[in-house]
């Protein structure tokens, strides 16, 4: 496979952009080689500047649940663009997307749109602090909530990939207000909440951790979290930026039957355009400016193009049978990959929540950050490159989730499974 143009572009990019990329994990540092520069995407596939095609399991890191360049999304965007791209004044589109989101997430009475998941979590925490009058927060090791200062503590995603859980540039005084606990550790949670509750504004959690692969909550973990936070007046924030409309239409909160006080969304609700959202119970959201005193704003927030892509995407997803179809395909992929690993005699652990999944190169059960880190990242890197050579594009890190879209056909999935078997054999 020829990748000369990608290599040339990357060399040029590194002279102009830090590391040649605008988000760290894109740089392929964890798997070697240089990143592919993408020219276009269509359905389940992306095409690089050298003309190679790949079945894509990154899907822009989650948003593209309909696949690339879905015809209805593209046509709605064209029409919207002709009416102007931003006004800085309210539109009916914002009201419609808010209505669709609130209907799907009954735990939220009100929602505010922002421009990224980072903005959503950052703002939700400010609101939780304003609402409770307390400063400290609890997060869990390996959970990534965007790159705001207080949240870049023992975070997943790029931070896990590069092994720098704490970033230089984050003042110690910020990090001091963040308590981190192991995910799925009920005893540590109980101990901390019962002793520290007076200073705790909120607990923020990825209900399924997608930023160290795919880590599922153990039975009773989320229930205990809900019970304890309610008992001590601590705001429970579900960061569903990745899991929202992904693990189910109603997110992880629908799957596990938990009602958080606040929810953060992003990725899918923007249909591939930059969007985030945070919302929650009426009493909490009423502190948000201009209704209340907690300030939060955005020049391009509620942008008509992003709202249009989001509305179109959610309308398609809300049709009956869509998630059943997604589940069927994902289950087939899971079975095929697990069988391929067994056939090739490679020890792996496969985890999946709806259409997000991770195949860890480890023999150990993965249930938190520490156990995820038992994965053999060198073996993953060889697997990644073997798959790439066979036309399958995975996230370039062991600690990222893979995603499936409605555009992935049965043929795509069978080809992926066959490629996985060949790749696993090749790297043995
Ligand atoms: C992607 C992600 C974010 C950050 O969203 P950005 O749009 O990249 O800022 C926050 N939380 C979770 C769970 C995510 O997966």
């Amino acid at each position: 496979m020829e990748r000369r143009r990608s290599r040339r572009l990357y060399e040029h990019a590194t002279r102009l952009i830090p590391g040649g990329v605008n988000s760290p994990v894109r740089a392929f540092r964890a798997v070697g080689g240089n990143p592919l520069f993408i020219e276009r995407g269509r359905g389940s596939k992306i095409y690089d500047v050298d003309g190679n095609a790949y079945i894509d399991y990154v899907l822009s890191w989650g948003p593209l649940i309909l696949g690339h360049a879905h015809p209805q999304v593209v046509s709605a965007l064209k029409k919207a663009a002709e009416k102007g791209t931003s006004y800085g004044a309210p539109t009916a589109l914002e009201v419609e997307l808010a209505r669709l989101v609130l209907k799907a997430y009954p735990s939220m009475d009100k929602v505010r749109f922002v421009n990224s998941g980072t903005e959503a979590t950052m703002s939700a925490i400010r609101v939780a602090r304003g609402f409770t009058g307390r400063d400290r927060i609890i997060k869990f090791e390996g959970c990534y909530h965007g790159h705001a200062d207080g949240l870049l503590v023992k975070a997943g995603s790029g931070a896990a990939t590069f092994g720098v859980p704490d970033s230089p540039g984050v003042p110690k005084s910020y990090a001091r207000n963040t308590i981190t606990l192991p995910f799925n550790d009920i005893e540590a949670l109980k101990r901390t909440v019962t002793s520290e509750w007076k200073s705790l504004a909120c607990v923020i959690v990825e209900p399924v951790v997608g930023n160290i692969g795919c880590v599922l909550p153990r039975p009773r973990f989320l229930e205990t979290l809900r019970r304890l936070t309610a008992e001590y007046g601590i705001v429970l924030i579900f960061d569903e930026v990745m899991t929202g409309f992904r693990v189910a239409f109603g997110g992880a909160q629908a799957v596990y039957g938990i009602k958080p006080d606040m929810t953060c969304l992003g990725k899918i609700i923007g249909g591939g355009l930059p969007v985030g959202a945070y919302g929650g119970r009426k009493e909490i959201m009423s502190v948000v400016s201009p209704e209340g005193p907690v300030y939060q704003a955005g020049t391009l927030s509620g942008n008509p193009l992003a709202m249009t892509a989001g509305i179109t995407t959610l309308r398609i997803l809300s049709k009956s049978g869509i998630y059943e179809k997604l589940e069927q395909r994902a289950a087939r992929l899971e079975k095929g990959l697990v069988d391929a690993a067994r056939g090739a005699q490679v020890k792996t652990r496969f985890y999946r929540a709806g259409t997000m999944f991770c195949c860890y190169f480890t023999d150990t059960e993965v249930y938190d950050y520490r156990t995820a880190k038992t994965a053999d990242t060198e073996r993953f890197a060889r697997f990644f490159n073997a798959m790439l050579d066979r036309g399958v594009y995975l996230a370039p890190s062991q600690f990222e989730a893979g995603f499936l879209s409605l555009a992935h056909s049965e043929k795509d999935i069978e080809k992926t499974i066959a490629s996985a078997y060949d790749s696993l054999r090749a790297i043995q």
Side-chain angles (χ1 to χ4, degrees), residues 72-145:
Q72 274 167 265
V73 176
V74 172
S75 120
L77 278 173
K78 279 184 184 160
K79 280 198 204 117
E82 280 176 2
K83 296 187 195 171
T85 54
S86 184
Y87 325 112
T91 64
L93 297 166
E94 294 157 272
V95 183
E96 176 59 7
L97 188 58
R99 190 186 67 79
L100 290 169
V101 167
L102 295 179
K103 194 169 154 216
Y105 290 76
S107 68
M108 285 195 261
D109 297 318
K110 284 189 179 175
V111 63
R112 167 69 61 86
F113 291 112
V114 292
N115 302 297
S116 69
T118 296
E119 260 188 82
T121 57
M122 189 181 84
S123 309
I125 285 169
R126 182 182 302 150
V127 169
R129 284 174 166 153
F131 178 72
T132 56
R134 303 170 181 168
D135 284 345
R136 293 164 89 202
I137 69 170
I138 290 179
K139 76 176 283 292
F140 297 93
E141 285 171 21
C143 282
Y144 178 68
H145 304 293

Side-chain angles (χ1 to χ4, degrees), residues 116-119 121 144-147 206 211 239 241-242 267 275:
S116 69
T118 296
E119 260 188 82
T121 57
Y144 178 68
H145 304 293
H147 61 88
E206 285 183 80
N211 285 288
D239 180 354
V241 170
M242 186 184 290
K267 298 194 168 119
V275 167

Side-chain angles (χ1 to χ4, degrees), residues 207-225:
V208 174
V209 191
N211 285 288
I212 42 170
C214 182
V215 177
L216 305 174
R218 282 178 154 172
R220 292 195 308 107
F221 177 67
L222 295 175
E223 289 81 350
T224 308
L225 184 53

Side-chain angles (χ1 to χ4, degrees), residues 19 48 59 64 74 89 97 137 166 183 190 204 209 218 233 247-248 291 308 362 368 374 378 404-405:
D48 68 15
L59 296 169
L64 301 177
V74 172
L97 188 58
I137 69 170
D166 295 312
F183 188 73
K190 276 187 186 160
I204 185 165
V209 191
R218 282 178 154 172
V247 300
E291 209 173 311
T308 297
T362 182
D368 62 4
T374 63
E378 274 165 35
L404 205 63
S405 80

